[in-house]
Amino acid sequence: MANPARGEASLRVGGVSLVLRPSFAALVAAEEEVGPLFALVERAADGRLGLSEMVALFWHCLRERPEGLTREAFGEGVAAGGLATATPALKLLLGQILAGR
């Protein structure tokens, strides 16, 4: 289960509940892939955040990856779940980025 006190978010992908934790190491890895996190937050606020960017952020923030889960399958699962399912987790992670927790 996600612990909101630690800035964690839950995300269901392929019927499995996953926990996203925006740790320093996870955010650094995401930033190396998608560029500066503040720019990512700005793109999200402007409605210009790409699906690949969102999946990259989620992938790097996964607290634990289920055995056998590939990045491609994870991305397909996020897309299949729809933006409405992913938005609460994205909102929480972006809030954590801005808050600096």
Side-chain angles (χ1 to χ4, degrees), residues 56-96:
L57 178 63
F58 287 171
W59 178 256
H60 291 293
C61 288
L62 279 173
R63 185 175 70 189
E64 296 175 12
R65 292 185 184 135
E67 188 175 331
L69 181 64
T70 64
R71 171 96 176 247
E72 182 178 349
F74 177 72
E76 290 291 332
V78 171
L83 291 177
T85 300
T87 298
L90 178 63
K91 183 178 177 181
L92 195 138
L93 290 180
L94 295 176
Q96 293 301 316

